[in-house]
Amino acid sequence: MRLLVVEDDPDLNRQLTTALTDAGYVVDRAFDGEEGHHLGDTEPYDAVILDIGLPKMDGISVLESWRRNGRVMPVLMLTARDRWSDKVQGFDAGADDYVAKPFHLEEVLARLRALLRRAVGHAKSEFECGPVRLDSRTGRVSVDGNPVKLTSHEYRLLAYLMHHNGRVVSRTELVEHLYDQDFDRDSNTIEVFVGRIRKKLGVDIIQTVRGLGYLLAAPGA
Ligand code: CA
């Protein structure tokens, strides 16, 4: 899952980015409204954390513009605690949820997980495909109840496929959602990661759909 953090406070931006990266997300960051607006308008993010008070272009204007341009990714806004009007304006502009400052990082992470699940119509934090289980809360993966250790790249790939279970996901989409903008994007690496995941899981739930991409399917289904 690839996220965008738009926050002008350098310390807060760093704290958020570190916590999100530790939690297994790929994170791009922006420090003002213009830069954030441009990234959110042109890159395919799975969710955005957007501060309301930003230099150059305020968060509400950024969000309104994204929604006008048809950008539908979930947006979690950061508001000042006493500014109820920010929250109302934010929701009206198309925000999906908010966290008031100062906040606990755990709350931001939990709200993000909920947004990411709901964006794909999934109510629980656990995902299943046949004997494979992925818990997006703990980042644990198991097969028939036995834990499987995946690297962060492998986990991200499997989590993305689990979130989009039921449809074919192209390699391009995976590259766009699993790497940040500075990464050398080579879709062959995806094939390598898929191979490693298949091997570690020991059950083949990732089907290659020739010319199109990958599709999750329970064995025997
Ligand atoms: Ca700010």
Side-chain angles (χ1 to χ4, degrees):
M1 299 284 163
R2 187 172 167 205
L3 308 178
L4 172 64
V5 171
V6 191
E7 166 61 65
D8 57 310
D9 181 318
D11 286 338
L12 199 50
N13 191 310
R14 184 179 41 78
Q15 281 171 29
L16 282 165
T17 306
T18 304
L20 294 167
T21 306
D22 287 349
Y25 300 104
V26 176
V27 184
D28 288 345
R29 49 212 305 228
F31 296 87
D32 66 58
E34 272 176 17
E35 188 189 10
H37 176 263
H38 173 70
L39 284 172
D41 224 20
T42 51
E43 297 289 325
Y45 294 106
D46 295 292
V48 177
I49 296 181
L50 177 67
D51 185 29
I52 295 299
L54 289 169
K56 294 191 184 173
M57 186 175 181
D58 69 89
I60 302 286
S61 304
V62 169
L63 185 51
E64 278 173 348
S65 173
W66 282 342
R67 295 315 192 211
R68 262 200 313 276
N69 296 344
R71 310 296 292 179
V72 297
M73 66 286 195
V75 171
L76 176 70
M77 57 181 168
L78 305 177
T79 66
R81 178 157 310 276
D82 49 349
R83 294 287 297 273
W84 63 269
S85 56
D86 278 359
K87 292 164 201 159
V88 172
Q89 270 192 305
F91 280 118
D92 284 344
D96 299 274
D97 201 358
Y98 77 92
V99 177
K101 295 178 183 177
F103 49 75
H104 290 282
L105 285 167
E106 280 304 319
E107 183 180 357
V108 173
L109 290 172
R111 288 187 180 276
L112 255 185
R113 285 194 296 270
L115 282 184
L116 290 167
R117 294 199 304 266
R118 285 204 299 263
V120 294
H122 198 90
K124 292 193 301 180
S125 61
E126 285 182 346
F127 293 80
E128 278 176 14
C129 181
V132 181
R133 212 181 167 105
L134 180 143
D135 187 334
S136 65
R137 194 171 46 84
T138 59
R140 292 205 179 101
V141 175
S142 63
V143 178
D144 285 324
N146 302 311
V148 175
K149 239 180 133 47
L150 298 181
T151 64
S152 60
H153 276 295
E154 293 161 358
Y155 175 82
R156 282 207 297 264
L157 203 163
L158 184 63
Y160 192 85
L161 291 175
M162 282 282 197
H163 275 77
H164 297 275
N165 195 353
R167 71 171 174 88
V168 176
V169 177
S170 73
R171 278 196 211 176
T172 311
E173 180 177 342
L174 286 168
V175 170
E176 284 179 346
H177 288 263
L178 298 178
Y179 301 111
D180 60 42
Q181 52 179 347
D182 301 326
F183 195 85
D184 174 25
R185 299 171 176 196
D186 176 358
S187 67
N188 285 330
T189 54
I190 297 285
E191 189 65 45
V192 173
F193 285 129
V194 167
R196 287 188 196 151
I197 296 169
R198 282 178 175 142
K199 209 164 161 189
K200 285 190 181 178
L201 295 180
V203 286
D204 200 3
I205 61 163
I206 307 176
Q207 296 188 346
T208 302
V209 184
R210 202 173 290 277
L212 294 175
Y214 301 101
L215 177 67
L216 282 191

